[in-house]
Amino acid sequence: AFLPAGDDGVRPFEVAALDVRGRAIQMGPAVDAILSRHAYPPPVSRLLGEAIVLAVLLGSSLKFDGKFILQTETDGAVDMLVVDYLTTGGVRGYARFDAERVAAAVAAGEAEPGALLGRGILAMTIDQGAHMNRYQGVVALEGDSLEAVAHAYFRQSEQIPTRVRLAVGEMHERRGGALRHAWRAGGLLVQFLPEATQRMRQADL
């Protein structure tokens, strides 16, 4: 389960004077359990880690029990990412990829997230359970990072100035002579509320 703060914690925040709100997260054991279990190539792990952070940032804003599903379908070396986030705190993630294409991208120095994703779509689905309607938003994915796609989604759907930052990294520690490896991730979502946008417009007049 995700806690209010600390590892695997989502922390909502608001700066009332600036009409800004958002959520921040740092992930440790939860993201490490998913990525270590599958033993993906490192660039694939980083990409799936970013998708997990984005799904948790967005799904944790839901005010009801349900599921938030983030899924990509593209023509890239990583042609599918799926992340299920349960509002009760559970999260699952999976990546489908072409091992030869990923290895070739790494050898060519072209293993950035946008290059691995390629072109296609990113769909975000809100599932409120049985007997309730599902809501799905879809945005084009054209070789961009997940951050850029999230920005495009908010421009199209909510028209609220939004910034998203995602980070995934490997941690190596030596304990008792043994080298321990673990994945960590973090993210930040910041939104300027409509009042802030109007205030900025007035300031420009």
Side-chain angles (χ1 to χ4, degrees):
F2 282 83
L3 305 173
D7 269 355
D8 299 334
V10 180
R11 182 185 292 274
F13 64 87
E14 180 176 356
V15 183
L18 299 177
D19 293 315
V20 170
R21 68 183 178 191
R23 289 181 299 283
I25 182 174
Q26 63 182 45
M27 300 185 68
V31 73
D32 183 56
I34 295 171
L35 300 182
S36 298
R37 182 182 308 125
H38 293 288
Y40 296 119
V44 178
S45 288
R46 292 188 189 95
L47 186 54
L48 179 57
E50 289 187 1
I52 292 169
V53 172
L54 181 58
V56 174
L57 280 173
L58 298 176
S60 60
S61 68
L62 301 180
K63 305 301 183 185
F64 50 81
D65 290 338
K67 180 190 296 186
F68 181 88
I69 306 164
L70 183 149
Q71 180 171 349
T72 66
E73 293 184 12
T74 65
D75 62 3
V78 181
D79 64 353
M80 186 174 72
L81 298 170
V82 181
V83 181
D84 290 350
Y85 170 78
L86 301 177
T87 54
T88 53
V91 63
R92 298 181 301 176
Y94 170 76
R96 187 175 69 191
F97 64 99
D98 184 315
E100 291 185 359
R101 292 180 65 188
V102 170
V106 172
E110 299 174 352
E112 295 301 314
L116 292 179
L117 286 169
R119 297 177 180 271
I121 62 168
L122 182 146
M124 291 176 272
T125 305
I126 296 172
D127 187 348
Q128 302 183 56
H131 311 301
M132 298 293 287
N133 292 331
R134 298 177 105 199
Y135 168 80
Q136 185 174 73
V138 178
V139 63
L141 205 163
E142 300 179 349
D144 298 322
S145 67
L146 290 178
E147 288 181 354
V149 175
H151 294 159
Y153 171 78
F154 279 104
R155 281 196 305 270
Q156 295 174 15
S157 63
E158 298 189 16
Q159 298 183 340
I160 297 176
T162 302
R163 287 294 176 267
V164 175
R165 291 291 180 264
L166 308 170
V168 180
E170 298 176 85
M171 181 179 70
H172 298 274
E173 293 181 337
R174 188 169 296 281
R175 293 184 179 179
L179 188 64
R180 176 181 175 271
H181 170 275
W183 288 96
R184 293 190 63 82
L188 181 70
L189 184 150
V190 181
Q191 293 184 309
F192 289 87
L193 302 182
E195 292 82 358
T197 304
Q198 184 62 32
R199 189 177 299 169
M200 285 186 287
R201 287 176 182 155
Q202 293 174 351
D204 291 337
L205 295 178

